[in-house]
Amino acid sequence: MRRSPEEADMLGLSHDVFGGAYESQLDDRSMAAIQRMRTTRLDFLAELERIDRTALTRDAARLLDSTALVYRAAAAMDRHGYGYAALGWASPYVINPFDGAYTDLVKFLTTHHAIRSRDDAEAWLARLSQMDDELRAERRRFETDLEAGAVPSRAIMQRTLDRVRALTPYNAREHRLVQFFTEKVAQIPAIPEEEIKKLVDRAAVLVGGDIAAEYRALARTLETALPKAREEPGVWRLADGQTYYTDALKLYTTTEMSPPDIHKAGEKLVADISKRMDGLLLEAGQEDGTVGQRMRALALDPANVFPDTPEGQTALIAAIESHIQWIEPRLSRIIESGPRGKLEIRHAPQLARETAPTAYYKAAALDGSRPATYNLNLRSTLDWPVWSLATLSFHEAAPGHHIQAGRARERANQPVLSYLIANPAFAEGWGVYAEDLADELGAYEADKLAKLGYLQSLLFRAARLVVDTGIHSQRWSREQAVDYLVNTTGLARESMENEVDRYTVWPGQACSYMTGRETLRRLRDAARQELGAAFDIRTFHEQVLAPGPRPLPVVENDIYQWLGAARPQQPAE
């Protein structure tokens, strides 16, 4: 954790746990730091593998199994030598439209670093003074990868270059970093006006000087590399790319499923869900065209969207709140308990709107300084058909991420390590599974369009399995992938272009959603069959949620251990 002061800040970690103050520090992005981290991971994995599992309690054994699995997956990604790998997350490209210090640090300094006092302002400036070093260090890593052949596709390179240019400080005082800092320090009564001017001047000098120079250097690197970039988006074209993709699938799905297995499973799910949607569309009088074409026609009907005005946004948020209010009193039928903390609905930061998904959840800060938030990327209300809002809210809020992640965040006596490990298959799998739970609670009984919205969401997750494996294993082109998503789901082309670019830079991540959902459904079916009339869905969900996020094989082991203990005993003869 001491290597991750930015993560500590985002988590709201105490100084005692971190080992000192961290508010004036940034993560070290140098090649030397990355190599030290890779070595440390291997050393730590070796320590884990020396532990006698049989001497551990059940909780400790679960933690050991979960940690070792994630560390092995990260170590496998590290061996490829390019890109970056975290515990549960990886990309073959250090810098891309969605990742990189050039965008991450701007978001971090304008979103996570609170400025409420003179000390906070000084700490912010201290971080700003380090920003050029981190930009430079990361750029050099990226250039090393480019020289070794880890070159993003042409579309990714162009989008990255466009984003770098958009964030380059041409006039320091108009840059969002300086504007943010100016606004925040002006709200601190204890700082005299003359001091505020000096603080802002210091920020402007840093942003307009070495930081601006580093943005220009990164733009030159991208401009030089762009003509050499290939059109194909798949990771298969990189060194040992097929193995990289197999390793990435293990990291994100925590399963042993091969690319052909996932592709085939995705195609079957797409066919099954499309058939269900076709029946509902026929009932609604939508007879002409494919499922995707008919869903697109519904989305373009003005009757199915809110006006793209401030009033329309207000109405959209009110609709989202109504869905959350509908589900909350029904949660006791499916879960034993939810998180104590409240959930706030917020607009996504302006900086994130070009690359962020439609909506996303952020867990509360550990120190209570920030509540859990359901963040809406409201670029336009026209992107949000009325019938899509219910399922989206059930995924991000309740019974989805806020229930699962909120409970996990409030668990007592957690090791700090648990906050550093991502488990996308568990977290996103639960989010999609939660959409099913809302359906089972009757959320769509009186609204067939909302039912179609739910099924379209499932169809989109299933289509991701096909597209991700298509891109990275079957050598699909970007256009082929976008066309498949648009034609299959009926979702907007611009949005699907963004999705395909996300799959391009995070191979395997899109497969975590449906893989997790299918695992949870399979385990529930097994539990229902095993326990018969004694099956209680609330108890089953407690077995899934109570131990917190973990790899799917560990979840499966937990469920079968529970079933072994809960199995009705046969009377002795």
Side-chain angles (χ1 to χ4, degrees), residues 100-314:
Y102 80 96
T103 181
D104 292 343
L105 285 178
V106 177
K107 284 186 283 190
F108 174 72
L109 287 170
T110 58
T111 305
H112 293 287
H113 186 119
I115 303 178
R116 305 186 189 95
S117 67
R118 174 63 184 263
D119 287 345
D120 290 343
E122 288 291 349
W124 192 92
L125 286 170
R127 277 175 160 162
L128 190 69
S129 71
Q130 301 163 44
M131 185 170 168
D132 65 308
D133 290 335
E134 300 312 325
L135 290 168
R136 187 178 307 110
E138 191 173 80
R139 172 173 56 81
R140 288 171 175 168
R141 283 171 50 209
F142 183 54
E143 289 169 347
T144 298
D145 283 358
L146 292 176
E147 291 171 5
V151 181
S153 68
R154 184 177 296 274
I156 294 300
M157 290 286 278
Q158 185 62 62
R159 280 195 69 177
T160 307
L161 177 57
D162 292 344
R163 192 151 172 78
V164 169
R165 286 170 174 165
L167 290 172
T168 298
Y170 298 105
N171 182 328
R173 293 186 183 275
E174 294 180 1
H175 193 269
R176 63 192 70 197
L177 281 167
V178 178
Q179 288 185 337
F180 168 83
F181 186 66
T182 303
E183 179 184 338
K184 291 300 180 182
V185 294
Q187 296 173 16
I188 304 173
I191 305 180
E193 188 172 335
E194 187 59 33
E195 283 296 304
I196 289 174
K197 182 180 182 303
K198 291 178 181 178
L199 291 169
V200 171
D201 286 347
R202 286 166 59 189
V205 167
L206 290 169
V207 170
D210 292 340
I211 291 173
E214 277 306 315
Y215 273 93
R216 291 193 293 270
L218 178 56
R220 287 193 297 272
T221 294
L222 291 161
E223 288 163 353
T224 301
L226 182 59
K228 306 171 189 174
R230 293 171 57 174
E231 295 291 343
E232 302 95 335
V235 75
W236 54 264
R237 58 187 170 71
L238 305 185
D240 202 19
Q242 290 289 12
T243 303
Y244 182 99
Y245 185 50
T246 299
D247 289 339
L249 286 174
K250 288 180 182 178
L251 179 86
Y252 281 116
T253 71
T254 64
T255 72
E256 297 294 325
M257 292 182 72
S258 68
D261 290 340
I262 292 175
H263 193 86
K264 185 176 180 180
E267 289 182 323
K268 183 179 186 306
L269 284 165
V270 165
D272 292 345
I273 297 166
S274 296
K275 185 176 181 181
R276 293 174 65 187
M277 294 177 71
D278 180 60
L280 286 174
L281 285 164
L282 290 173
E283 289 179 26
Q286 294 284 334
E287 300 177 357
D288 299 328
T290 65
V291 166
Q293 288 169 340
R294 284 177 281 172
M295 290 301 295
R296 191 68 198 140
L298 286 173
L300 293 174
D301 186 340
N304 291 326
V305 292
F306 290 101
D308 198 14
T309 62
E311 293 77 14
Q313 290 193 7
T314 299

Side-chain angles (χ1 to χ4, degrees), residues 5 48 76-77 122 195 280 297 428 493 505 510-511 563:
L48 291 173
M77 303 308 297
E122 288 291 349
E195 283 296 304
L280 286 174
E428 297 299 348
R493 178 167 291 275
V505 303
C511 298
L563 288 176

Side-chain angles (χ1 to χ4, degrees), residues 302-354:
N304 291 326
V305 292
F306 290 101
D308 198 14
T309 62
E311 293 77 14
Q313 290 193 7
T314 299
L316 187 150
I317 292 173
I320 284 174
E321 290 173 341
S322 71
H323 293 306
I324 297 173
Q325 290 165 3
W326 182 91
I327 198 82
E328 284 179 342
R330 293 166 172 82
L331 292 175
S332 60
R333 290 160 51 185
I334 56 172
I335 59 171
E336 292 186 2
S337 64
R340 295 183 298 275
K342 297 298 182 182
L343 177 70
E344 288 188 9
I345 300 175
R346 293 184 178 178
H347 290 262
Q350 184 71 34
L351 181 64
R353 290 190 178 179
E354 293 178 17

Side-chain angles (χ1 to χ4, degrees), residues 359-429:
Y360 57 94
Y361 174 83
K362 289 185 71 173
L366 293 170
D367 60 5
S369 61
R370 187 192 68 249
T373 55
Y374 171 8
N375 301 273
L376 306 173
N377 193 355
L378 278 175
R379 288 171 293 213
S380 168
T381 59
L382 304 181
D383 296 334
W384 301 62
V386 174
W387 36 263
S388 69
L389 301 177
T391 292
L392 185 68
S393 298
F394 299 142
H395 180 105
E396 301 295 344
H401 288 321
H402 184 53
I403 299 300
Q404 178 268 308
R407 282 195 53 175
R409 185 56 60 90
E410 293 175 3
R411 288 174 65 225
N413 303 317
Q414 289 192 80
V416 176
L417 179 62
S418 66
Y419 299 123
L420 292 175
I421 294 177
N423 284 281
F426 182 88
E428 297 299 348

Side-chain angles (χ1 to χ4, degrees), residues 24-79:
S24 62
Q25 303 174 40
L26 293 177
D27 292 359
D28 186 346
R29 291 167 167 80
S30 68
M31 182 67 79
I34 299 302
Q35 293 293 4
R36 285 195 299 271
M37 181 180 66
R38 290 171 177 171
T39 301
T40 300
R41 279 185 192 154
L42 291 174
D43 291 342
F44 189 52
L45 181 57
E47 287 189 58
L48 291 173
E49 291 174 341
R50 285 196 292 270
I51 294 173
D52 180 4
R53 189 180 184 281
T54 63
L56 301 178
T57 64
R58 181 179 175 185
D59 286 346
R62 178 191 295 114
L63 179 61
L64 174 65
D65 293 344
S66 300
T67 306
L69 191 152
V70 173
Y71 265 82
R72 289 190 193 101
M77 303 308 297
D78 284 339
R79 282 195 291 272

